[in-house]
Amino acid sequence: MSILTGYLEKIEAWVASFVSVENWRFKTVLLCALVVVLSFFNNISPLKSFGDFYQSVFVDKTEHFLYQTVEDRAKSLTSNFDYEPYSGKESRTFRLVAPIFVRVLGISHISIVLYGLQLLCGLLFFYMLTGFINDLLKDKSATLYAMLGIASIYLGACFFIDNGGYGDLFSYFFLFLGIYFARKPYLVFIFLSLAFWNDERAFVGSGLAFVWLWWYPQFKANEKIRIKFNWSMIAVILAWGAWVAGRYYLMNVVGMKPTYNPDGEFAIRIQQSIDSLGFRLLWQFEGWWLLFLLTGAILWTKKEYLALAPMFIAGAASTLSAMIIYDSTRSGTFAFLTIFFCLAICKRYLTDRQLRLILLGIAILCFLHPMANKTHGMGFFLM
């Protein structure tokens, strides 16, 4: 027996023991939270933002960074504010979920309360996601590997590391809940609407939710994939329409003005993104690209073009949105539903051991890859 085989068998035995207990989902959440913190071992720069948070909230007694825009908007939901261009504050006009939440509940100490709520929702996200992935894979060991891979990328880490008020965790969580409650169209509508009004990039990412709600029920039933609508898909369409109509009303009737950077962000970012395309594409999902490419190859080989095309188009739309704005890691992560497609497909066409080994490799790669959401002055493409 080789040394590598020996190590692998020890890992597999430990994982099998870890997930064999009744409360394995709760233990998985705790392990993922630990992995999130440890994953910054080779890029501690993002952790320095906690010092900025402490200075703003506990020393200066103000709301920290983007939490200030939540406070401003909560005081006057439809006013126009003159924020400094390129500050990150100027593009949050229609991100109304947090301001309404703060206004309705009369919350003070906004930075502390919303960050604390984000931590709790992040742990709940891990717990629900563990169950969701296990339902896909029917394999607790593979589920643990997948969860460790997710905990080691921005999707899993944002609940902890985002203390600047971006609110990315809430947007990702709402998108996830939109497919988690696939059998309840009214909840699909509610959660996707919350995602859109928390961050308009979720509107683009919801294309994958629409495809999932169309594709997965047929795939699970082992039916031939064809064009077939259901009520949950209609709920997505209604959520799209309600958001577009609501934004049109706020802009053209109420008079709220979207604020853009003066030189046009697309014109600035697209050339810079092309120059650093590898970084832009890699850093949202890191090791998960192995599974994405493998899944694409499987669908192409099986001639499942009707399934492959909408997945590719929806994923490409989210990728494009990441290329044309500053924070590409945050933006590109809105395509995270792609992970679920790939897990479901690979579960069908690979053996259990093959899938476990691939997911173990992905988890290791993601853990070793530096978290690329902030580097304090080392280049825009690291965002």
Side-chain angles (χ1 to χ4, degrees), residues 12 40 54 61 113 121 136 145 161 174 208 243 245 265-266 275-276 282 292 297 332 339 347 349:
E12 291 177 322
F40 289 93
Y54 179 85
K61 307 296 182 181
V113 172
C121 286
L136 291 180
Y145 295 140
I161 199 61
F174 292 146
L208 283 166
W243 182 78
E265 198 160 15
F266 175 84
D275 293 342
S276 57
L282 174 64
F292 296 170
I339 293 173
K347 169 62 178 178
Y349 294 109

Side-chain angles (χ1 to χ4, degrees), residues 119-333:
L119 291 175
L120 293 176
C121 286
L123 297 177
L124 178 61
F125 183 34
F126 276 156
Y127 187 82
M128 297 180 70
L129 190 56
T130 301
F132 181 81
I133 292 178
N134 189 54
D135 286 342
L136 291 180
L137 301 182
K138 310 299 182 185
D139 184 330
K140 293 180 182 179
S141 294
T143 297
L144 180 61
Y145 295 140
M147 287 302 300
L148 294 177
I150 289 173
S152 299
I153 61 176
Y154 185 67
L155 172 63
C158 63
F159 84 100
F160 167 71
I161 199 61
D162 173 21
N163 54 28
Y166 289 94
D168 297 323
L169 180 278
F170 298 115
S171 299
Y172 304 151
F173 193 28
F174 292 146
L175 269 180
F176 168 70
L177 292 176
I179 66 168
Y180 185 86
F181 293 106
R183 295 182 179 180
K184 298 180 179 179
Y186 69 96
L187 290 180
V188 173
F189 176 85
I190 290 171
F191 285 119
L192 290 186
S193 295
L194 287 171
F196 300 164
W197 290 109
N198 193 65
D199 193 320
E200 54 273 5
R201 287 172 290 191
F203 182 83
V204 180
S206 67
L208 283 166
F210 182 81
V211 176
W212 176 266
L213 295 170
W214 157 69
W215 171 84
Y216 185 66
Q218 299 181 64
F219 180 82
K220 184 178 181 181
N222 206 24
E223 299 174 356
K224 182 176 177 59
I225 304 299
R226 58 189 178 89
I227 304 299
K228 182 169 68 173
F229 279 84
N230 57 54
W231 285 109
S232 293
M233 294 170 65
I234 293 173
V236 178
I237 296 173
L238 291 176
W240 288 341
W243 182 78
V244 171
R247 179 148 176 167
Y248 179 87
Y249 175 81
L250 291 176
M251 290 174 60
N252 295 279
V253 178
V254 177
M256 293 176 68
K257 298 178 180 179
T259 51
Y260 302 105
N261 292 323
D263 298 325
E265 198 160 15
F266 175 84
I268 294 173
R269 300 301 174 203
I270 190 63
Q271 184 57 53
Q272 294 173 331
S273 295
I274 292 173
D275 293 342
S276 57
L277 183 61
F279 293 121
R280 288 270 177 168
L281 293 179
L282 174 64
W283 280 341
Q284 299 104 25
F285 297 110
E286 302 175 11
W288 285 101
W289 278 104
L290 294 175
L291 197 69
F292 296 170
L293 295 174
L294 175 60
T295 303
I298 289 173
L299 290 178
W300 184 266
T301 301
K302 298 294 181 180
K303 299 183 179 180
E304 295 286 350
Y305 305 127
L306 187 59
L308 178 60
M311 293 178 199
F312 175 80
I313 293 171
S318 290
T319 300
L320 178 62
S321 72
M323 291 178 61
I324 62 177
I325 59 179
Y326 188 84
D327 48 351
S328 62
T329 301
R330 296 185 177 95
S331 301
T333 301

